[in-house]
Amino acid sequence: MNRVYVCSCFGVTEQQVKQHAEDGACTPRRIASACKAGTDCGSCVRRIQELLGRGASPRREPTGEGRPLLPNLSNADLGLDEAA
């Protein structure tokens, strides 16, 4: 049997990840709960996502091009009047 390791930190193979997925662990977090894969260095998380058919997660881009997401609001706008 040819073993392909997904997580070298905990010695988890592709076959084990697939078995956990068949048993209901359908997210990387649930795989981690089932066998610890992805909980140490994290380098296997993208491969786990691929095995689950989720593909690699896209890189997150900052929203608003560095501008605040909310406009500048006063304390009165937030209901935080100084008199209270």
Side-chain angles (χ1 to χ4, degrees), residues 9 12 20 25 47 57 78:
C9 295
V12 179
H20 288 303
R47 181 65 185 136
S57 60
L78 298 172

Side-chain angles (χ1 to χ4, degrees), residues 18-25:
K18 290 176 183 178
Q19 184 61 52
H20 288 303
E22 287 177 21
D23 293 341

Side-chain angles (χ1 to χ4, degrees), residues 28-81:
R29 186 169 285 167
R30 289 190 177 177
I31 294 292
S33 294
C35 63
K36 293 188 176 182
T39 62
D40 194 25
C41 76
S43 66
C44 60
V45 173
R46 288 183 184 266
R47 181 65 185 136
I48 292 168
Q49 289 173 327
E50 290 172 8
L51 290 171
L52 295 175
R54 304 179 91 201
S57 60
R59 299 268 183 215
R60 293 183 182 172
E61 298 297 325
T63 58
E65 298 176 16
R67 295 185 303 265
L69 295 177
L70 297 175
N72 291 331
L73 300 175
S74 69
N75 282 348
D77 293 331
L78 298 172
L80 302 173
D81 291 328

